[in-house]
Amino acid sequence: MGRPPCCDKIGIKKGPWTPEEDIILVSYIQEHGPGNWRSVPTNTGLMRCSKSCRLRWTNYLRPGIKRGNFTSHEEGMIIHLQALLGNKWAAIASYLPQRTDNDIKNYWNTHLKKKLKKFQTDLDSHNLAPPSDNSSTNNYDHQFSWQFSDNNKQGSTTLFNSPNASSTSSLYASSTENISRLLEGWMRTSPNPSRRNVTSDRHDDDEMLHEAQKTNQDQEFVKNCEKSWIQDGGNIGNNIVTIPKEKSTTCESNGVDVGEKTSPPPFTYLEKWLLDENNGGQVEELMELPMIFT
DNA sequence: AAAACTTGCAACCGCGTTCTT
DNA sequence: AAAGAACGCGGTTGCAAGTTT
């Protein structure tokens, strides 16, 4: 069915935001807080649709956004989370509070996807067959585990190197950053300040609590998945790293709905974690990338 | 030097979900 | 309960900057 686009009205401005528009938007949100986007264009005089205002705020103007290079740590997080959750960029972004979903999505599409593809191609071109090992639970699992361990063995460091300095940090990007800095110190109090700002007045306290609990569960789940994997020293062993070739994987074992577009992945790795009773403990250092990603 | 091509990212669009009346 | 409006998300596009020929 669908609705007509919200920006079809005559006189609605499209395209890049100017610093003046940003200042107007930021000033307004400073005063009224994010949310109720429909009233923003009316009250500010901005010739933008409400959607555009929300997007601009969420992706660029809200405080605490980190721009520029992704660290290898972040790369690893994205790779793992994408494998676990599929293209759920908002969900992935909730684990990287300084990054926006749009940023992560772009980075995945422009950098990480290529790296993974190249990784596959390189291995295929070498015509390397996984060693036979019945302990592996399925071919898919074993193929990936073997590929990664082989890559480690060869000491390959080229595939997942972080990109060099961002080539397109424009002058205006800097000014956006400055606007963002103006807002440092101003943030609405939140039960979890590190969490991605869901800018909706719909979130009352109960909802926030529920969300926080849910997020904690998800985070715990992912952290433990990470732990299990890294405990194998990046060598993975009988476990898998569910790096999809094209389709994303799901994580329904955790009750995370990842939609219908995903193909069912092998769950050996997740199942192993779920069956593992000793999966608590330290996590911070576990989120660091294995050598292959550095 | 300049045209052609590639890359990266900001912004838009369409649709599903949630809320309001 | 139903319909309409608003929100939020993921996919896609347009274009500027960078690179290659």
Side-chain angles (χ1 to χ4, degrees):
Chain A
M1 211 161 61
R3 285 192 308 274
C6 70
C7 307
D8 270 356
K9 292 175 191 167
I10 296 166
I12 293 295
K13 189 181 171 190
K14 292 183 180 181
W17 281 63
T18 65
E20 290 76 19
E21 287 175 313
D22 281 345
I23 289 166
I24 291 169
L25 181 59
V26 165
S27 304
Y28 179 81
I29 292 173
Q30 260 185 308
E31 198 175 335
H32 298 92
N36 195 13
W37 297 107
R38 188 171 58 109
S39 65
V40 172
T42 318
N43 294 344
T44 59
L46 285 168
M47 302 303 283
R48 298 276 182 173
C49 71
S50 56
K51 243 177 162 178
S52 185
C53 294
R54 179 179 60 81
L55 200 70
R56 185 66 185 168
W57 169 258
T58 306
N59 285 341
Y60 299 97
L61 299 176
R62 71 181 166 89
I65 292 179
K66 182 177 164 188
R67 313 214 47 90
N69 290 351
F70 280 72
T71 64
S72 57
H73 173 93
E74 288 171 319
E75 272 192 17
M77 288 280 289
I78 294 167
I79 289 169
H80 289 149
L81 289 166
Q82 202 280 341
L84 286 167
L85 303 172
N87 293 357
K88 296 289 169 184
W89 306 117
I92 292 170
S94 70
Y95 297 99
L96 296 161
Q98 292 180 311
R99 300 292 188 178
T100 68
D101 51 1
N102 205 38
D103 228 10
I104 292 169
K105 179 175 62 180
N106 280 335
Y107 191 67
W108 173 264
N109 286 330
T110 57
H111 293 91
L112 297 178
K113 222 156 80 171
K114 287 175 192 169
K115 286 183 179 180
L116 291 171
K117 192 174 180 181
K118 183 175 183 296
F119 179 52
Q120 284 286 336
T121 310
D122 287 352
L123 286 160
D124 289 348
S125 70
H126 284 93
N127 195 24
L128 298 171
S132 62
D133 180 353
N134 292 333
S135 67
S136 177
T137 51
N138 66 46
N139 291 337
Y140 184 90
D141 297 0
H142 197 104
Q143 187 181 1
F144 275 111
S145 62
W146 175 80
Q147 284 174 345
F148 271 86
S149 61
D150 186 75
N151 199 51
N152 266 347
K153 203 164 55 189
Q154 292 172 11
S156 168
T157 56
T158 56
L159 181 55
F160 289 100
N161 277 349
S162 297
N164 291 329
S166 169
S167 53
T168 56
S169 59
S170 64
L171 285 173
Y172 183 50
S174 304
S175 89
T176 306
E177 218 166 297
N178 291 337
I179 291 168
S180 221
R181 271 198 209 102
L182 289 172
L183 289 169
E184 296 292 348
W186 174 85
M187 281 184 90
R188 289 208 301 181
T189 48
S190 155
N192 184 359
S194 68
R195 194 166 160 262
R196 185 163 174 268
N197 188 9
V198 180
T199 53
S200 169
D201 286 346
R202 288 188 229 160
H203 286 264
D204 58 16
D205 291 341
D206 286 345
E207 242 176 325
M208 291 292 280
L209 179 61
H210 175 256
E211 286 287 318
Q213 285 169 344
K214 186 168 176 289
T215 301
N216 285 340
Q217 287 166 10
D218 292 348
Q219 283 178 341
E220 192 63 21
F221 173 75
V222 172
K223 282 174 180 176
N224 282 310
C225 288
E226 295 268 349
K227 181 186 175 183
S228 293
W229 179 51
I230 293 167
Q231 271 175 343
D232 288 324
N235 197 18
I236 295 143
N238 291 331
N239 295 331
I240 60 164
V241 175
T242 51
I243 295 174
K245 287 176 180 178
E246 285 299 328
K247 305 272 183 178
S248 16
T249 61
T250 65
C251 199
E252 59 194 39
S253 300
N254 192 34
V256 177
D257 173 22
V258 293
E260 301 165 12
K261 295 172 188 172
T262 57
S263 59
F267 275 98
T268 313
Y269 172 65
L270 302 180
E271 286 163 0
K272 183 175 190 302
W273 175 79
L274 288 167
L275 293 170
D276 182 5
E277 292 177 1
N278 304 313
N279 51 19
Q282 304 204 3
V283 292
E284 284 305 316
E285 75 275 17
L286 300 175
M287 302 305 275
E288 294 299 333
L289 277 170
M291 280 185 297
I292 186 174
F293 294 121
T294 59

